[in-house]
Amino acid sequence: MPHDIVILGIFVADAAFRCDAPPRLGETVLGTGFTLGPGGKGSNQAVAAAMAGGDVGFLTRIGKDTFGAMGQETWARAGVHPLAVIDESLPTGAAGIFVETGTGKNAIVVSPGAAGAISVADVAAQAEAIGQARVALTQLEQPMAAAEAFLRVAREGGAITILNPAPAAPLPQGMLALCDYLIPNEAEAEGLTGIAVTDRDSAARAGGALLDQGVGKAVIVTLGGDGALVCDAAGARHVPPINAGPVVDTTGAGDAFNGGFATALAEGRGLEDALRFATAVAAISVTRAGAAAAMPTRAEVEALLAR
């Protein structure tokens, strides 16, 4: 059965440690809290999109273990339709997250596990579902070849294609031309262009450079607490943030934005409306601890936008 949105990405279990400051090499620090929950950019984005009202299929690879079961339970609760390969030879991945008490800023180490073996063949096996989607979204936590194949299949099927280039990595020649929308944060935009992104003006320069490299419709540079900067054929403009309350944890903010944006586009919303919707999803997510657990419902997003 086809889905409006298909997302390729990884699922990992997030082990999140709250502390006053992340430890330096050779240093031990006492934490102020710990949680174990579902994570991985692709899975977080799928949960965000589904919670926000999207019909989502999620293509990934997990192990036959406790963490893999956590992923399946997470998708079932959120209404995500798994297109998952169960790998009996590799464990489900995990991520270690250090969240700074007070600011909510984080540092993350990801070990993809089974998801690191996502292949071009896995993408080919779901070519029909990908090709029939309205929106296709991926990131760079799984192997690059699989991400590129996914975008190519989606493009050939007529889907709107979105790449969240996280974590930052050099892209194969021509891969940006497969993207209708590119959504990097400041560090990722700098990694792709060499332009240090420190404010809106530099974000606009980086966005323009990425458009020149082949992105089809728009480059959206997310700017954390300052919202986002969108660059398209009409020029560059700021997307203001929305205040949904005190910031608790920024771990899943980018994933919330990407998932919300995919849902809005799948519903046929225009760019400006989709950006506002995505900003609201992200704004609510940072007021809560965790990543997937912090994603808001459709009713919560609509209530914030109506304020």
Side-chain angles (χ1 to χ4, degrees), residues 66 107 128 182 250 253 265 267 272 274 302:
T66 302
E128 184 175 357
L182 185 75
T250 63
L265 290 181
E267 293 175 353
E272 306 305 324
E302 290 181 343

Side-chain angles (χ1 to χ4, degrees), residues 9-306:
I10 77 168
F11 169 84
V12 296
D14 279 351
F17 300 82
R18 300 189 71 84
C19 47
D20 292 334
R24 296 168 294 180
L25 289 178
E27 180 185 24
T28 299
V29 300
L30 289 176
T32 59
F34 170 79
T35 57
L36 178 66
K41 288 185 182 301
S43 180
N44 292 341
Q45 290 170 6
V47 170
M51 293 285 288
D55 170 28
V56 183
F58 178 48
L59 173 55
T60 192
R61 182 179 280 266
I62 55 176
K64 191 176 182 179
D65 50 29
T66 302
F67 285 171
M70 177 196 293
Q72 295 190 66
E73 292 165 5
T74 298
W75 306 327
R77 284 196 302 270
V80 173
H81 303 279
L83 309 173
V85 177
I86 309 299
D87 192 320
E88 298 194 7
S89 63
L90 292 170
T92 304
I97 304 171
F98 297 93
V99 181
E100 189 173 68
T101 305
T103 68
K105 294 181 178 179
N106 62 76
I108 305 173
V109 177
V110 178
S111 179
I118 294 173
S119 67
V120 172
D122 292 335
V123 172
Q126 295 293 341
E128 184 175 357
I130 298 166
Q132 292 179 359
R134 295 180 182 176
V135 176
L137 164 63
T138 191
Q139 333 68 32
L140 300 178
E141 286 186 326
Q142 71 284 317
M144 184 71 72
E148 184 176 17
F150 175 82
L151 291 169
R152 192 174 303 281
V153 171
R155 170 57 59 84
E156 290 171 354
I160 297 169
T161 54
I162 306 170
L163 174 62
N164 171 217
L171 300 179
Q173 184 71 29
M175 188 166 171
L176 287 178
L178 298 174
C179 307
D180 290 310
Y181 296 97
L182 185 75
I183 309 181
N185 65 16
E186 301 103 312
E188 292 148 7
E190 179 176 350
L192 291 172
T193 65
I195 298 170
V197 178
T198 57
D199 54 23
R200 297 176 195 174
D201 288 343
S202 52
R205 291 196 298 275
L210 290 164
L211 280 177
D212 290 343
Q213 291 179 36
V215 176
K217 293 183 178 178
V219 177
I220 302 155
V221 183
T222 56
L223 302 173
D226 192 33
L229 197 290
V230 58
C231 298
D232 60 11
R237 55 202 179 278
H238 182 234
V239 180
I242 298 174
N243 182 7
V247 174
V248 172
D249 185 352
T250 63
T251 303
D255 298 332
F257 185 95
N258 278 271
F261 188 68
T263 291
L265 290 181
E267 293 175 353
R269 297 175 186 241
L271 177 58
E272 306 305 324
D273 193 14
L275 288 168
R276 193 69 175 158
F277 187 88
T279 301
V281 175
I284 297 170
S285 76
V286 301
T287 66
R288 305 164 177 172
M295 301 307 176
T297 64
R298 176 61 172 251
E300 290 173 320
V301 176
E302 290 181 343
L304 179 59
L305 289 170

